[in-house]
Amino acid sequence: MRLDKVANPYNTDLDRNPANHQPLTPLGFLERAASVFPGHTAIVHGPLRRDYASFYARSRQLASALQRAGMGRGDTVSVLLANTPAMLECHYGVPMCGAVLHSINTRLDAAIIAFQLDHAMSRLVIVDREFMPLMQAALALATVRPALIQYDDPVFDGPETDGIAEDYEAFLTSGDPAFEWLMPEDEWDAISINYTSGTTGDPKGVVSHHRGAYLLAQGNALTTSMAKHAVYLWTLPMFHCNGWCFPWTLSAIVGTHVCLRQVRAGPIWAALADEGVTHLCGAPIVMQLMISAPEAVKRDLGRTVQVFTAAAPPPETLLAGMQAAGFEVTHLYGLTETYGPAVVNDWHADWSALPPAEQARLKSRQGVRYLPLERLAVLDPETMRPVPRDGRSMGEVMFRGNVVMKGYFRNPGATRAAFAGGWFHSGDLGVVHPDGYIQLKDRSKDIIISGGENISSIEVEEALYRHPAVAVAAVVAMPHEKWGETPCAFVELADAAQADAETLRAWCREQLAPYKVPGRFVFTAIPRTSTGKIQKFVLRERAREIAD
Amino acid sequence: MRLDKVANPYNTDLDRNPANHQPLTPLGFLERAASVFPGHTAIVHGPLRRDYASFYARSRQLASALQRAGMGRGDTVSVLLANTPAMLECHYGVPMCGAVLHSINTRLDAAIIAFQLDHAMSRLVIVDREFMPLMQAALALATVRPALIQYDDPVFDGPETDGIAEDYEAFLTSGDPAFEWLMPEDEWDAISINYTSGTTGDPKGVVSHHRGAYLLAQGNALTTSMAKHAVYLWTLPMFHCNGWCFPWTLSAIVGTHVCLRQVRAGPIWAALADEGVTHLCGAPIVMQLMISAPEAVKRDLGRTVQVFTAAAPPPETLLAGMQAAGFEVTHLYGLTETYGPAVVNDWHADWSALPPAEQARLKSRQGVRYLPLERLAVLDPETMRPVPRDGRSMGEVMFRGNVVMKGYFRNPGATRAAFAGGWFHSGDLGVVHPDGYIQLKDRSKDIIISGGENISSIEVEEALYRHPAVAVAAVVAMPHEKWGETPCAFVELADAAQADAETLRAWCREQLAPYKVPGRFVFTAIPRTSTGKIQKFVLRERAREIAD
């Protein structure tokens, strides 16, 4: 005999209330760190040491000052800052008054910044003295008239500006350090907006919410086993996806931020040795900078430092060099739309016994989902069916879960397109290996279709990178009368290296199917975006000109 | 000039959808672990080694079998199991079919189990062979008639039973290992029900939800810096608050569960040495068992093992002994209503340089909020105002946040009372030290009011514990004609130790204010609940009889 089914009794008289339900927000991590470890060093910046009590008090003070200046829920506060204490304070102080943080890439030109300020309807801007001329040029082009605050970083020794803006320190100290900061009304409330870098068209404003920031910030620590009191060096720009949420992760584990205005080998090695850095993030170029530094600059660390890298697979020689220098490198992957890293090349201990080339091959794969990402898949965008796990069948990399953006700001069309079929479409093309690890093969716009065959530009680039004379390679489609398209290779040679088109063509013939061998080799400086990404749309334009 | 305020644009066209919003659930941790590290050992039990692929497949198979047996959303599946692989499978398989896991304390008597089965409206019961007689006795008293499954653990060498129930292994393998398990419809859906142990009256069914279990499971790893591939020994009963959510934590970090049917020194030391255990949990009695083991049983580990302890502050001698034996002890605190630990004695590195007695004093404090608990406070329950941070003013310990239960099952009155004023009322009395760490002083029912003065029974007990002859002390209120109440001390002496009432009275006079010195000393075996908690309500009854 069994009891008859009744209405679900576990949904009766068991409702949400303030005692058992609160909005998830990473802002509370700072409150906890300041309350439990008030004297622990939160921020190091040159000679400055700031503890958690002070970091929290100043963040509340900033929030209070912003509120007094009229900022509140739904307002955009834009910042054009280097990796400084002010930038960290903004990651807490801005959302603590209910406003939305808009971090601007400091390498952009004035026109794009003006576009962002207008599109984000910016009401207040905080600018590092170094970037004040750039901001003034942007404001001259923009329609909005935000209030202007200047952050005067003592570490910056560039020219003075002429008092055109309110001083950050004076503004901040006008606020109340005991300000009762605003919790989000809902964990779905926006915490930040970040504009995509525009390799594929108009910049889009990616809106993140408190829930996702909370989860990804924890996910960083969990996925990478980052322990209490870790010391984190800011080689990754914080304007880049809010520094992959690490400004919030560090408070969760009561760690120490080591600021860095500029990514140069000397300050990096000094911080590694003198500040006890345990973790840092950056594109492969950062690692390249570190290990190619003069021996006089390098320091013996006597311990392993964790490095998280993204943007491009780390090449084998770089990995070997980093390992020899005492670094453990983890490969991450994500997009602005996924709060930064949402995929990790989760390393298997037994892989470390393999030959270096095999390890590099395994590590070049982007990997598997982060813990707070619910689903990661490579789907045929037509049928939305998963591609076979054969390491060869290409599909579009798609995400589903709580660390996917809220959507594109004031762009419902792009938002709908990005979320079509209930998945976030990354625009990246990839394969799935038999063990479930994904590997990127191309941006969907970068695929080359020659005689009806898809050619991965990445595959051709990898073949070129294996040639010792090649420093940088970028392959795009060039119009071709017979085949429709054919690969065109742009190449930067390594210092003092020599190679001509014939040499590289012969090299590619050994490595690739004949139809994948580039029809042209162009030796030139390769254009990049402000975040260091190769501007393929510029190269495609040049390839078209060459073909004409 | 500033832009006029408009409706919050960050709430427009930026809605939840399946691509960017999924219910939080710890069940996905297992899917990820099995997908990324299918061959990693998930479970060790005697000679059995089970990897994550198999753990996940079997959990899905169990879910499928349960669904075929008619279990679904809102149904209660009860289990009476030791710390075995089946118990771990139930923590996934039961909620994977939408049902609610009801773990029963194996030390309870048949009448209380019958009460729980009826109150939880249990529809199916899974029972370890060892506890089948107990379950049969309970079912003879209960009204419900759940389906009965028996788990036959090869490690258990007790008597056979006579085939009165379906075999667990046969039942499980009737399911589909590729079953598409059910996500919760909402992260607020119940995942489990656990009955309080009843030191303070009728058992109440504490309902937990997927959201809280997800957050506390992650919080365990984050708060205690538990890294990838940790090896966890099951010295804590899994029926106790779902093993403080560690069955789910371990999947998040792809760790290994080492099962343990019985908490005995031999198997513990063997597991520590042979299985590479890195972490374990338990009441101080577990540590006592470990360090008081014969030298022949102890093993040299050559590494530090993390121990998380709760239920009572670890005494100084125990801490010193543990430290000498290579263990690092962290003191946690929580209740069934907070998913297990929600408070941690978060250790400051510089405290380790203090004298042992001072360290023990600091470690005896319950501490500060867990990362996923939003607020922890000691409030005056009348005014709901915080008590001063003076280490002396007592108030009630209260919780607010996402790791507070959904409520008490079928008990809206108790739920309302527990959540009065927007805080969960723990019933524990405590103080806040100047550094914000809380310390328990008593259960609110255990406070003794003598001549209008509050006496903390814990304070009196602590004084008694400092006497070398005292092994266990429990102090309760005894009625007193003049003062209303006076403390009555129940004492168990240490082996071979001697002390009489006069000795202890003189000792207490040296340590305590005169009105706190117990009026009576009773030398007796002290009654405990099945989870080892002292049954003060029994002692209060005896004190009343003595006074009459």
Side-chain angles (χ1 to χ4, degrees):
Chain A
M1 179 198 129
R2 288 195 185 132
L3 288 178
D4 288 337
K5 281 233 177 192
V6 291
N8 188 335
Y10 287 99
N11 288 339
T12 307
D13 293 322
L14 294 165
D15 298 327
R16 291 163 174 81
N17 67 64
N20 67 11
H21 189 273
Q22 291 287 322
L24 298 176
T25 171
L27 304 180
F29 300 161
L30 181 57
E31 184 278 327
R32 183 184 184 280
S35 152
V36 181
F37 292 96
H40 192 79
T41 301
I43 302 175
V44 171
H45 184 50
L48 176 79
R49 296 283 179 281
R50 190 164 278 157
D51 65 23
Y52 267 101
S54 166
F55 183 17
Y56 181 47
R58 287 177 57 89
S59 298
R60 292 159 88 181
Q61 210 165 5
L62 174 59
S64 165
L66 287 167
Q67 191 184 67
R68 289 178 189 181
M71 299 301 116
R73 302 204 189 270
D75 291 324
T76 304
V77 172
S78 305
V79 302
L80 189 65
L81 294 168
N83 281 351
T84 54
M87 184 60 148
L88 288 165
E89 285 158 8
C90 286
H91 274 80
Y92 291 91
V94 172
M96 277 178 175
C97 81
V100 177
L101 178 67
H102 167 217
S103 301
I104 303 172
N105 185 327
T106 58
R107 296 165 198 154
L108 295 175
D109 62 35
I112 294 181
I113 295 175
F115 171 89
Q116 289 191 15
L117 293 172
D118 282 341
H119 188 267
M121 304 185 293
S122 182
R123 297 195 61 227
L124 189 144
V125 178
I126 300 172
V127 186
D128 189 286
R129 179 158 57 91
E130 180 179 357
F131 310 119
M132 190 51 94
L134 176 62
M135 178 52 72
Q136 285 181 287
L139 287 171
L141 300 170
T143 305
V144 290
R145 290 288 171 267
L148 198 57
I149 312 281
Q150 176 177 285
Y151 172 60
D152 205 353
D153 181 4
V155 170
F156 175 61
D157 58 4
E160 294 291 325
T161 49
D162 55 355
I164 41 171
E166 186 171 354
D167 176 65
Y168 176 81
E169 200 61 28
F171 176 73
L172 183 142
T173 48
S174 76
D176 172 8
F179 177 63
E180 291 212 9
W181 55 274
L182 278 66
M183 283 282 282
E185 292 174 324
D186 188 296
E187 64 198 42
W188 198 251
D189 287 355
I191 190 169
S192 68
I193 181 167
N194 295 85
Y195 282 81
T196 56
S197 58
T199 51
T200 60
D202 276 344
K204 293 193 282 281
V206 176
V207 181
S208 304
H209 47 64
H210 286 258
R211 174 182 169 98
Y214 174 102
L215 293 170
L216 197 93
Q218 292 203 358
N220 279 335
L222 280 166
T223 312
T224 61
S225 297
M226 225 173 156
K228 180 172 154 182
H229 297 330
V231 179
Y232 181 87
L233 179 64
W234 273 108
T235 39
L236 173 79
M238 263 185 262
F239 60 69
H240 197 173
C241 308
N242 301 307
W244 302 354
C245 294
F246 279 97
W248 300 309
T249 300
L250 271 281
S251 292
I253 58 168
V254 199
T256 300
H257 300 270
V258 180
C259 291
L260 201 65
R261 276 194 78 88
Q262 287 181 304
V263 177
R264 287 185 294 118
I268 291 175
W269 279 102
L272 287 169
D274 300 336
E275 306 294 350
V277 168
T278 58
H279 296 75
L280 61 92
C281 295
I285 186 76
V286 173
M287 298 191 280
Q288 189 64 56
L289 192 74
M290 287 161 61
I291 60 166
S292 65
E295 289 307 312
V297 166
K298 290 188 192 172
R299 305 272 287 272
D300 185 20
L301 302 178
R303 61 198 157 83
T304 302
V305 173
Q306 299 292 324
V307 176
F308 307 124
T309 188
E316 181 186 340
T317 48
L318 190 54
L319 284 173
M322 287 295 283
Q323 199 168 340
F327 297 90
E328 199 170 295
V329 179
T330 302
H331 183 197
L332 307 177
Y333 157 64
L335 300 95
T336 306
E337 287 87 341
T338 64
Y339 292 77
V343 176
V344 54
N345 182 284
D346 214 341
W347 197 247
H348 289 235
D350 53 357
W351 293 349
S352 297
L354 297 171
E358 179 66 5
Q359 288 193 43
R361 191 188 65 75
L362 289 167
K363 194 158 277 188
S364 70
R365 310 181 312 166
Q366 276 67 26
V368 296
R369 70 177 175 96
Y370 242 46
L371 190 63
L373 178 74
E374 274 68 18
R375 298 283 296 281
L376 172 71
V378 178
L379 306 179
D380 178 328
E382 299 293 318
T383 62
M384 294 301 277
R385 291 223 186 89
V387 301
R389 291 184 163 207
D390 56 12
R392 288 180 292 110
S393 306
M394 266 210 264
E396 185 172 358
V397 178
M398 301 207 196
F399 299 79
R400 170 181 276 185
N402 294 301
V403 292
V404 170
M405 66 167 176
K406 193 164 166 166
Y408 295 117
F409 194 51
R410 301 171 67 208
N411 199 341
T415 301
R416 261 194 306 277
F419 291 149
W423 289 82
F424 168 65
H425 297 240
S426 70
D428 286 330
L429 299 181
V431 299
V432 186
H433 289 277
D435 63 358
Y437 280 56
I438 71 158
Q439 183 165 19
L440 295 196
K441 289 295 173 181
D442 228 324
R443 294 286 302 170
S444 56
K445 289 180 197 279
D446 294 344
I447 205 81
I448 301 158
I449 305 173
S450 185
E453 297 287 342
N454 285 351
I455 301 172
S456 155
S457 62
I458 291 182
E459 184 187 356
V460 183
E461 287 159 9
E462 282 175 348
L464 286 167
Y465 272 116
R466 283 192 289 270
H467 192 284
V470 174
V472 183
V475 173
V476 300
M478 181 166 69
H480 189 278
E481 265 187 36
K482 183 170 174 190
W483 303 116
E485 292 179 348
T486 186
C488 175
F490 292 84
V491 174
E492 280 179 23
L493 292 180
D495 286 348
Q498 290 200 328
D500 59 11
E502 268 325 295
T503 312
L504 293 183
R505 182 166 293 122
W507 174 263
C508 286
R509 282 206 187 104
E510 288 171 27
Q511 313 248 338
L512 297 167
Y515 72 97
K516 295 178 180 173
V517 175
R520 287 290 284 270
F521 292 85
V522 183
F523 298 88
T524 179
I526 289 176
R528 293 171 178 273
T529 69
S530 55
T531 55
K533 286 186 192 164
I534 292 172
Q535 290 183 299
K536 286 218 170 170
F537 65 97
V538 174
L539 295 177
R540 267 192 294 273
E541 189 57 38
R542 288 177 52 186
R544 264 193 297 276
E545 291 165 10
I546 293 166
D548 284 345
Chain B
M1 181 198 127
R2 287 193 186 136
L3 288 178
D4 288 336
K5 282 229 175 193
V6 292
N8 189 337
Y10 287 99
N11 289 339
T12 308
D13 293 324
L14 293 165
D15 298 326
R16 292 166 173 80
N17 67 65
N20 67 11
H21 190 274
Q22 291 286 322
L24 298 176
T25 172
L27 304 181
F29 300 161
L30 180 56
E31 184 279 325
R32 183 184 185 281
S35 152
V36 180
F37 292 96
H40 192 80
T41 301
I43 302 174
V44 171
H45 184 51
L48 176 79
R49 296 283 179 282
R50 189 165 280 157
D51 65 22
Y52 267 101
S54 165
F55 182 17
Y56 181 46
R58 287 177 56 90
S59 297
R60 292 159 89 181
Q61 209 165 6
L62 174 60
S64 165
L66 287 167
Q67 190 184 66
R68 288 178 189 181
M71 298 303 117
R73 300 203 189 273
D75 291 324
T76 305
V77 173
S78 305
V79 302
L80 188 66
L81 295 168
N83 281 351
T84 55
M87 185 60 147
L88 288 165
E89 286 159 7
C90 285
H91 273 80
Y92 291 92
V94 171
M96 277 179 176
C97 81
V100 176
L101 178 65
H102 167 217
S103 302
I104 303 171
N105 185 329
T106 58
R107 297 165 199 154
L108 294 176
D109 63 35
I112 294 183
I113 294 176
F115 171 88
Q116 290 192 16
L117 294 172
D118 281 342
H119 188 267
M121 305 186 290
S122 182
R123 298 195 60 227
L124 189 142
V125 178
I126 300 172
V127 187
D128 189 287
R129 179 157 57 91
E130 180 179 357
F131 309 119
M132 190 50 96
L134 176 62
M135 178 53 70
Q136 285 181 287
L139 286 171
L141 300 170
T143 304
V144 290
R145 290 288 170 269
L148 199 58
I149 312 281
Q150 176 175 284
Y151 173 60
D152 204 353
D153 180 4
V155 171
F156 175 63
D157 57 4
E160 294 291 325
T161 48
D162 56 357
I164 41 167
E166 187 172 353
D167 176 63
Y168 176 80
E169 200 61 27
F171 176 73
L172 182 143
T173 49
S174 77
D176 173 8
F179 177 62
E180 290 212 11
W181 55 274
L182 277 65
M183 283 282 281
E185 291 175 326
D186 188 296
E187 63 198 44
W188 198 251
D189 287 355
I191 190 168
S192 68
I193 182 167
N194 296 84
Y195 283 80
T196 55
S197 59
T199 50
T200 59
D202 276 342
K204 293 193 281 282
V206 176
V207 181
S208 304
H209 47 65
H210 286 259
R211 175 182 169 98
Y214 174 101
L215 293 171
L216 197 93
Q218 291 203 359
N220 279 336
L222 280 166
T223 311
T224 62
S225 295
M226 224 174 156
K228 181 172 154 183
H229 296 331
V231 179
Y232 181 87
L233 179 63
W234 274 107
T235 39
L236 173 78
M238 262 184 264
F239 60 68
H240 196 172
C241 309
N242 301 306
W244 302 353
C245 293
F246 277 98
W248 300 309
T249 300
L250 271 281
S251 291
I253 58 166
V254 198
T256 300
H257 300 270
V258 180
C259 292
L260 201 65
R261 276 195 78 88
Q262 286 180 306
V263 176
R264 287 184 294 121
I268 291 176
W269 278 103
L272 286 169
D274 301 337
E275 306 294 351
V277 168
T278 59
H279 296 75
L280 60 90
C281 295
I285 185 77
V286 173
M287 298 191 280
Q288 190 64 56
L289 193 73
M290 286 160 63
I291 59 165
S292 64
E295 288 307 313
V297 165
K298 290 189 191 172
R299 305 273 287 272
D300 184 21
L301 302 178
R303 61 198 155 83
T304 302
V305 173
Q306 300 292 325
V307 176
F308 307 124
T309 189
E316 181 186 338
T317 47
L318 189 54
L319 283 174
M322 287 295 282
Q323 199 168 342
F327 297 90
E328 199 170 297
V329 179
T330 301
H331 183 195
L332 307 177
Y333 157 65
L335 302 95
T336 306
E337 288 87 340
T338 64
Y339 292 78
V343 175
V344 54
N345 182 283
D346 214 341
W347 195 248
H348 289 234
D350 52 357
W351 293 349
S352 297
L354 297 170
E358 178 65 4
Q359 288 193 45
R361 191 188 64 75
L362 288 167
K363 195 157 276 188
S364 71
R365 311 183 309 168
Q366 276 67 26
V368 296
R369 70 178 175 95
Y370 241 46
L371 191 63
L373 178 74
E374 275 67 18
R375 299 283 296 280
L376 171 70
V378 179
L379 305 180
D380 178 329
E382 299 294 318
T383 63
M384 293 302 275
R385 291 225 185 91
V387 301
R389 290 182 163 208
D390 56 11
R392 287 180 291 110
S393 306
M394 267 212 265
E396 185 172 357
V397 179
M398 302 207 195
F399 299 78
R400 169 180 277 185
N402 294 301
V403 293
V404 170
M405 66 167 178
K406 193 166 166 165
Y408 296 118
F409 194 51
R410 301 172 66 210
N411 199 340
T415 301
R416 261 194 307 275
F419 291 148
W423 289 84
F424 168 65
H425 297 239
S426 70
D428 286 329
L429 300 181
V431 299
V432 185
H433 289 277
D435 64 356
Y437 280 56
I438 72 159
Q439 183 165 19
L440 295 195
K441 289 293 172 182
D442 228 325
R443 292 287 301 169
S444 56
K445 289 182 196 279
D446 293 345
I447 204 81
I448 301 157
I449 304 174
S450 186
E453 298 285 343
N454 283 353
I455 301 173
S456 157
S457 62
I458 292 182
E459 186 188 355
V460 183
E461 286 160 10
E462 282 174 349
L464 286 165
Y465 271 117
R466 283 192 289 269
H467 192 284
V470 173
V472 183
V475 173
V476 299
M478 182 165 69
H480 189 278
E481 264 186 38
K482 183 167 176 196
W483 303 115
E485 293 179 348
T486 186
C488 174
F490 292 85
V491 175
E492 281 179 23
L493 292 180
D495 288 349
Q498 290 199 330
D500 61 12
E502 267 326 296
T503 312
L504 293 184
R505 183 167 291 119
W507 174 262
C508 285
R509 282 206 186 102
E510 289 171 27
Q511 314 249 338
L512 297 167
Y515 71 98
K516 295 179 179 173
V517 174
R520 287 290 284 270
F521 291 85
V522 184
F523 297 86
T524 177
I526 290 176
R528 292 172 178 272
T529 69
S530 54
T531 55
K533 287 186 192 164
I534 291 172
Q535 289 183 299
K536 288 221 168 165
F537 65 98
V538 174
L539 295 178
R540 267 192 293 274
E541 188 57 40
R542 288 179 52 189
R544 263 193 298 277
E545 291 166 10
I546 294 167
D548 284 344

